[in-house]
């Protein structure tokens, strides 16, 4: 789920053209497509490098106030048969897969937020770092190869995760999230160097997670912030655009736009709910300087 800023794989900028490429594509034969896809997906078992970036995102879902974070971290990709980290997706543990589906465990995380830096939450407890874990069933709806030698894939992922918050001194359970995701990814959009993705993610959550963001306890109530008890239900829908430009086999830059629509959300009456539409932006780069000699083919 995409509150604060979910740490999945690096986001990136892109949008507009997947409709254009769909209407102007020319499908190759199934055999040629399979051979080309296998060749392109042969990659090192693991890669190691460094990455740095900056992102701006709302303090919490529907917040009109934003925070900016900059990060410099080690970069790791692992393409094992079971455990897979990075490579355009979040960390996950694959239990079963074939050409049409994948059953795996998915993981996600979100940054914390300082309540003293937020006008509506001032005087309330800070929002801690959040992480999620749970199963996902990914349906591979289509793989396409085009006359310009680019290719794309369309997937539907049904994701259910348990959410937890932590200040790294204790861990608290924050309920459950159901997040189906429709994702389209195009490799070689307009240029062989560009990898672009668009995803649509409606989100529902149990009361515990809504409570974490939108409850106002009696002790925190003020004349401008009345007490409020959150309920479970619809959280909002994320529409995210991302793109990665491959400068070389070792270096790439990325950018992304994350938009969230909270129209019809279950807790729009909370005094902590502000905007029906919010947006975040991220940019960064990755340099991979070490990789395994062993090559693998992964979906």
């Amino acid at each position: 789920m995409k509150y604060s800023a979910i740490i999945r794989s690096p986001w990136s900028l892109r949008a507009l053209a997947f409709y254009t490429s769909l209407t102007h594509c020319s499908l190759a034969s199934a055999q040629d497509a399979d051979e080309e896809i296998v060749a392109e997906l042969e990659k090192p078992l693991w890669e190691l490098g460094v990455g740095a970036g900056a992102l701006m995102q709302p303090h919490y879902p529907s917040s009109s106030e934003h925070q900016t974070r900059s990060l410099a971290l080690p970069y790791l990709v692992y393409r094992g048969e079971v455990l897979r980290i990075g490579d355009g997706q979040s960390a996950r543990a694959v239990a079963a897969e074939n050409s049409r589906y994948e059953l795996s465990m998915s993981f996600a995380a979100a940054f914390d937020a300082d309540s003293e830096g937020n006008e509506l939450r001032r005087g309330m407890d800070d929002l801690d770092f959040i992480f999620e874990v749970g199963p996902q069933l990914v349906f591979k709806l289509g793989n396409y190869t085009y006359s310009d030698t680019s290719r794309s894939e369309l997937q539907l992922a049904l994701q259910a995760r348990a959410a937890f918050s932590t200040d790294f001194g204790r861990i608290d359970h924050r309920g459950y999230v159901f997040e189906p995701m429709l994702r389209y990814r195009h490799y070689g959009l307009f240029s062989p160097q560009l990898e672009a993705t668009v995803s649509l993610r409606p989100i529902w959550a149990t009361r515990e997670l809504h409570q974490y963001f939108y409850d106002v306890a009696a002790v925190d109530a003020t004349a401008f912030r009345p007490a409020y008890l959150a309920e479970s239900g619809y959280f909002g829908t994320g529409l995210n655009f991302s793109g990665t430009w491959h400068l070389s086999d070792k270096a790439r830059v990325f950018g992304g736009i994350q938009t969230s629509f909270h129209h019809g959300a279950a807790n729009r009456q909370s005094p902590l709910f502000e905007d029906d539409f919010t947006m975040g932006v991220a940019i960064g780069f990755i340099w991979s300087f070490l990789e395994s000699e062993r090559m693998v083919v992964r979906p």
Side-chain angles (χ1 to χ4, degrees), residues 31 51 64 157 203 265 267:
Q31 180 178 356
S64 65
I203 302 164
N267 291 288

Side-chain angles (χ1 to χ4, degrees), residues 148-226:
D148 61 358
T149 72
S150 68
R151 64 182 182 87
S152 66
E153 61 188 23
L154 180 65
Q155 296 180 342
L156 173 65
L158 303 180
Q159 303 173 112
R161 293 187 296 269
F164 303 87
S165 67
T166 180
D167 59 2
F168 300 100
R170 56 176 288 175
I171 296 176
D172 295 301
H173 182 225
R174 298 297 179 183
Y176 299 91
V177 174
F178 176 61
E179 182 183 353
M181 175 187 65
L182 185 66
R183 178 174 60 206
Y184 176 85
R185 178 172 293 151
H186 198 124
Y187 302 89
L189 180 65
F190 299 137
S191 170
Q193 289 80 26
L194 179 60
E195 175 186 321
T197 303
V198 62
S199 64
L200 183 68
R201 301 168 178 263
I203 302 164
W204 289 264
T206 58
R207 198 188 81 82
E208 293 92 340
L209 191 59
H210 285 272
Q211 176 185 24
Y212 189 63
F213 292 113
Y214 297 121
D215 256 18
V216 178
V219 68
D220 293 319
T222 69
F224 304 101
R225 189 175 62 203

Side-chain angles (χ1 to χ4, degrees), residues 32-92:
D32 291 344
D34 288 344
E35 290 174 357
E36 189 167 321
I37 289 170
V38 168
E40 289 198 38
L41 289 181
E42 189 176 73
K43 297 180 180 180
L45 174 63
W46 55 263
E47 297 178 43
L48 182 64
V50 294
L55 58 94
M56 180 195 71
Q57 80 283 328
H59 286 179
Y60 59 90
S62 82
S63 175
S64 65
E65 297 185 62
H66 292 72
Q67 60 183 344
T68 301
R69 298 287 184 101
S70 57
L71 293 172
L73 295 170
Y75 169 73
L76 172 65
V77 172
Y78 183 75
R79 304 179 178 97
E81 290 189 13
V82 176
L83 178 62
R84 299 179 192 169
I85 301 172
D87 205 17
Q89 300 184 51
S90 60
R92 64 201 199 280

